[in-house]
Amino acid sequence: MENKPIKSKLVISLVVLFTYAAMQFVPEFYAYLIFGKDRFNALNYTSLLCHDTNVVLCFLVTLCIAGFSFKKMLEMLGLNKGLRSAFLLALLAALPQIVGLLFLHGFRHGVSFMDIWFNGIHPGYHEEIVFRGFLIGILVRYAKWPAIIPLILSSALFAMGHLYQAHNFSESVTVFLMAFGAGTGFYLFYKYTNWNLWFPLFLHSFMDTSTVISNWNGNIAMSLEDNIFRGATLVLAIFITIRVNRNVKNKVYP
């Protein structure tokens, strides 16, 4: 007998979209209901608190959609397989950018673990779980949306979240287009590695960390020299993704 869907496509769609909308009010929740506005603004790493709350919401809501099956929740978010292999492959892919930025800009002495966590690791797991694993992944895989709709939606929202890096209109356009392309690329890495979110999650974190541990200073557009090494990382990541996808079809990838 064919398994019944966990929830209807309409219910899944509404729950996912409502949850993402609710995430936009998490700062207000803490500022006005928990800490008070002045105390909240005085806290260090408020964005870390809010973003981690969003991640927890993704897990809890997905757990509900999955009928409170922890195993199914991990599957729905693309976190149920290939953690070790994804870590090693993502590190391999990120090496050109890591080495390149250290070569061009030197090592940032005095960088702390909190710097690496906040600016390197944290954006990777937060953005991949929220945008790729939860928003686009569930809408495409379980609510059966045409991929183009949530892809454009999530990539646009992802890009808008990076506009703080721009200082004028032309920079805003560049940052938006670069971030939009990055969001699309990370989705394709997710899809074509057999819906293994660990690969884009680790790749994203390693690439961000390379900018933290080096003396690099700029925005997502980067300089021509920086983009040579970032391009090498992306080419290597694409090659790895193609090989993984081929192995999936040949049933040799876990």
Side-chain angles (χ1 to χ4, degrees):
M1 180 182 295
E2 186 177 334
N3 291 331
K4 294 182 179 180
I6 303 171
K7 294 283 188 301
S8 74
K9 298 174 186 177
L10 177 60
V11 170
I12 292 175
S13 299
L14 292 175
V15 169
V16 168
L17 293 175
F18 176 81
T19 302
Y20 182 79
M23 291 178 188
Q24 311 315 304
F25 297 96
V26 166
E28 285 74 15
F29 169 78
Y30 283 117
Y32 293 101
L33 296 180
I34 303 298
F35 296 105
K37 185 177 179 180
D38 292 338
R39 185 181 174 195
F40 177 74
N41 290 334
L43 293 175
N44 293 324
Y45 303 113
T46 55
S47 61
L48 186 66
L49 172 64
C50 294
H51 289 167
D52 283 349
T53 300
N54 292 343
V55 171
V56 171
L57 282 173
C58 288
F59 279 106
L60 292 177
V61 171
T62 306
L63 184 63
C64 293
I65 296 174
F68 298 96
S69 167
F70 186 77
K71 182 178 180 180
K72 185 64 178 178
M73 177 200 71
L74 293 179
E75 177 187 328
M76 293 183 73
L77 290 173
L79 299 172
N80 62 316
K81 58 180 177 293
L83 187 154
R84 183 175 63 178
S85 58
F87 177 89
L88 294 174
L89 291 174
L91 179 59
L92 174 63
L95 277 178
Q97 179 169 319
I98 295 173
V99 174
L101 292 189
L102 288 174
F103 171 75
L104 291 173
H105 305 286
F107 181 75
R108 180 171 297 175
H109 297 286
V111 63
S112 68
F113 172 78
M114 199 61 194
D115 291 332
I116 295 173
W117 181 263
F118 185 73
N119 296 305
I121 299 172
H122 163 254
Y125 75 77
H126 165 252
E127 292 169 358
E128 294 310 313
I129 289 174
V130 172
F131 289 103
R132 257 66 71 183
F134 183 74
L135 184 59
I136 188 172
I138 294 180
L139 290 178
V140 171
R141 298 173 66 200
Y142 296 94
K144 303 302 180 183
W145 283 36
I148 190 65
I149 299 175
L151 176 58
I152 291 176
L153 173 65
S154 66
S155 296
L157 293 169
F158 177 74
M160 289 171 63
H162 289 75
L163 289 178
Y164 70 92
Q165 299 179 12
H167 300 95
N168 53 56
F169 179 76
S170 61
E171 280 192 2
S172 297
V173 172
T174 301
V175 167
F176 182 88
L177 292 176
M178 293 291 291
F180 188 94
T184 302
F186 284 126
Y187 163 71
L188 294 175
F189 291 145
Y190 176 35
K191 177 181 179 180
Y192 289 107
T193 53
N194 194 26
W195 298 110
N196 182 357
L197 190 68
W198 289 116
F199 180 70
L201 188 155
F202 285 130
L203 180 64
H204 193 159
S205 295
F206 286 138
M207 292 177 73
D208 283 353
T209 298
S210 71
T211 67
V212 179
I213 63 175
S214 68
N215 284 313
W216 175 86
N217 186 26
N219 60 34
I220 193 172
M222 289 189 163
S223 68
L224 175 60
E225 293 82 3
D226 296 334
N227 275 310
I228 292 173
F229 292 101
R230 178 165 63 176
T233 278
L234 294 177
V235 168
L236 188 52
I238 291 170
F239 174 77
I240 289 171
T241 301
I242 292 172
R243 290 298 300 269
V244 168
N245 185 254
R246 185 178 301 167
N247 289 340
V248 168
K249 292 180 178 178
N250 294 330
K251 299 182 180 179
V252 296
Y253 187 77

